[in-house]
């Protein structure tokens, strides 16, 4: 096994729990676009999500894209996750964005 592919991103754990219906609503609130009543708490835990779109503002990484692809490969019953973001980061682009966090922006 490649040592560089052994780590799993936080996004993978969140996406996996999302698809299994195990996310805590207090940490990950959602809106039901259909306007339907939400199931009782015990039923909601058992409800599996058929499709999800995860969009990362600020950008996703290649590692996160790989993890989502692995979840899609292992998914049963046609369940899928689409990953999007404002950019796809490599180590250089990520560190460039982090370095800009301390710089002033806009007119003062």
């Amino acid at each position: 096994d490649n040592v560089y592919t052994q780590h799993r991103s936080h996004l993978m754990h969140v996406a996996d729990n999302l698809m299994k219906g195990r996310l805590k609503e207090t940490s990950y609130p959602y809106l039901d676009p259909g306007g339907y009543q939400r199931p009782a708490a015990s039923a909601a835990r058992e409800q599996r999500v058929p499709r999800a779109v995860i969009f990362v503002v600020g950008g996703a990484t290649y590692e996160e894209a790989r993890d989502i692809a692995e979840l899609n490969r292992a998914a049963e019953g046609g369940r899928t996750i689409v990953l999007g973001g404002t950019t796809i980061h490599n180590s250089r682009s990520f560190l460039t964005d982090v370095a800009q966090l301390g710089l002033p922006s806009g007119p003062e």
Side-chain angles (χ1 to χ4, degrees):
D1 218 8
N2 186 340
V3 69
Y4 296 111
T5 61
Q6 290 177 359
H7 176 262
R8 297 294 173 239
S9 65
H10 177 69
L11 182 64
M12 180 178 185
H13 299 292
V14 171
D16 189 38
N17 285 331
L18 168 68
M19 297 307 280
K20 292 176 180 174
R22 294 184 188 158
L23 286 182
K24 292 181 182 176
E25 189 177 342
T26 54
S27 298
Y28 298 95
Y30 69 94
L31 284 173
D32 185 350
Y36 304 108
Q37 285 186 331
R38 294 181 187 191
S42 61
R45 283 190 203 108
E46 299 167 7
Q47 191 175 31
R48 299 179 79 126
V49 176
R51 289 176 303 280
V53 175
I54 298 174
F55 189 87
V56 182
V57 175
T61 64
Y62 285 106
E63 178 185 40
E64 291 167 332
R66 180 209 62 215
D67 288 346
I68 297 301
E70 286 182 12
L71 282 176
N72 281 332
R73 237 185 327 275
E76 68 246 4
R79 296 177 351 169
T80 57
I81 303 169
V82 176
L83 176 63
T86 51
T87 190
I88 298 293
H89 281 295
N90 59 27
S91 57
R92 181 172 290 156
S93 67
F94 176 75
L95 291 174
T96 299
D97 281 1
V98 170
Q100 291 177 359
L101 290 175
L103 299 177
S105 63
E108 292 185 24

